[in-house]
Amino acid sequence: MNLLAPSSSAAPAAVLASPIAERDLLGALEKGLRVIEAFDQDRPRLTISEVALRTGLSRAAVRRCLLTLVHLGYARQDERHFSLSPKVMRLGQSYMHSAKLPRAIQPQLQRIAMAMQEAGSVGVLDGDDVIAVAAVTAGRVVSSTLQPGTRVPAYCTANGRVLTAWLPEPEREAWLARQTMAARTVQTLTDRDRLREELARVRAQGHALVDQEFEPGLRTVAVPLRNRRGEVVASMNVSVHAARVSIPDLLDRCLPMLLQAQEQLKPLL
């Protein structure tokens, strides 16, 4: 699982309700978390210099953080290279087991996936990416990203488009402005103006449909999950293989169940 993969945006992952004084921040903890976030699926083994380059920290600070992580069992050292240990998963599990959102949505997600015999996930926005906080495959593995803790880009995924479509306009425009929108497949939408139009369409119709823009063969429909105040707090999707399920079939079979779950979950979020 990729519970602590780095965000592709320099923007903070969440907006704090009230500013926190700098004197109340613990710099050593911040540095340690940045070091952990330097590791991901593409870079599972890093040297001190590589971590320093990825985090912007000094080599001396990175060295102390890595050695502390090794001492505590959160990292391993193999000569010049460091890697995270399975103990890091405890950090993500603490969220999964204690946060209200994953516990509230898991039964509904399980029900949808079993009824449809398809894969489903729920994601939240983190910078420019979406992190899956719950996922069910129902025996069909259509993508390796459909598991709790994985991080995917928001611009070319259904959950991501739902979450960014309902951002306040200034935040949405700032998000659009910093997207590079690399072509993940031949069908990926890479034009910023067209993506802006697509987000407006998502808001108008109440759901997002992404057809093989993130992975070839991966077709997904997603809806926003709102709390009692009507605020979008997450997005829920159903994903299918394009060779097996057509777009009309996906919308006819899966969208009504997603919309039903949307209403049933509102009092719980």
Side-chain angles (χ1 to χ4, degrees):
M1 294 196 298
N2 202 9
L3 295 169
L4 291 168
S7 170
S8 59
S9 167
V15 178
L16 297 175
S18 58
I20 297 177
E22 188 172 349
R23 65 178 180 273
D24 293 325
L25 301 178
L26 189 59
L29 177 59
E30 179 185 357
K31 292 176 181 177
L33 292 174
R34 286 168 64 184
V35 166
I36 290 175
E37 291 177 345
F39 297 86
D40 59 22
Q41 184 174 350
D42 297 325
R43 305 169 186 83
R45 297 175 74 248
L46 295 170
T47 64
I48 290 174
S49 296
E50 290 169 337
V51 174
L53 183 63
R54 296 209 73 201
T55 61
L57 300 173
S58 69
R59 292 183 78 258
V62 168
R63 178 180 177 274
R64 290 194 298 272
C65 287
L66 285 170
L67 292 179
T68 301
L69 291 170
V70 170
H71 174 70
L72 296 174
Y74 288 100
R76 294 169 175 166
Q77 182 177 6
D78 179 14
E79 296 183 352
R80 294 176 57 248
H81 287 88
F82 293 82
S83 59
L84 299 181
S85 77
K87 188 176 181 180
V88 171
M89 295 176 67
R90 290 187 184 181
L91 303 178
Q93 288 171 343
S94 295
Y95 169 77
M96 295 294 187
H97 294 160
S98 64
K100 179 182 179 181
L101 182 62
R103 289 183 288 115
I105 61 182
Q106 188 67 33
Q108 284 283 2
L109 187 62
Q110 185 84 22
R111 181 181 66 84
I112 291 174
M114 292 300 108
M116 298 287 97
Q117 285 298 291
E118 304 292 354
S121 69
V122 172
V124 296
L125 197 62
D126 180 47
D128 290 350
D129 299 331
V130 176
I131 295 179
V133 297
V136 178
T137 62
R140 295 188 188 274
V141 181
V142 294
S143 171
S144 61
T145 64
L146 295 174
Q147 55 182 312
T150 53
R151 180 186 294 272
V152 297
Y155 73 93
C156 59
T157 56
N159 273 347
R161 287 186 183 168
V162 163
L163 293 166
T164 52
W166 271 277
L167 286 174
E169 185 175 359
E171 293 181 37
R172 187 169 62 251
E173 285 301 316
W175 177 85
L176 279 166
R178 64 176 182 261
Q179 298 309 300
T180 56
M181 293 185 291
R184 301 288 299 244
T185 74
V186 295
Q187 295 183 220
T188 306
L189 191 61
T190 59
D191 181 83
R192 187 169 285 103
D193 289 335
R194 288 184 60 197
L195 180 56
R196 182 181 289 107
E197 293 173 0
E198 180 60 24
L199 296 181
R201 183 179 299 110
V202 170
R203 290 195 305 275
Q205 66 190 11
H207 68 271
L209 173 67
V210 173
D211 185 21
Q212 304 181 77
E213 293 190 46
F214 175 59
E215 287 183 12
L218 184 64
R219 184 171 283 161
T220 307
V221 61
V223 301
L225 296 182
R226 295 180 172 87
N227 59 20
R228 301 177 192 180
R229 296 183 296 276
E231 300 162 335
V232 175
V233 296
S235 178
M236 175 182 284
N237 72 29
V238 171
S239 296
V240 300
H241 199 284
R244 186 173 49 79
V245 181
S246 68
I247 290 177
D249 192 26
L250 174 63
L251 294 176
D252 290 344
R253 291 177 55 231
C254 301
L255 184 55
M257 288 202 71
L258 286 172
L259 293 173
Q260 183 184 54
Q262 180 188 67
E263 288 303 310
Q264 292 174 342
L265 284 168
K266 187 180 296 185
L268 305 177
L269 301 181

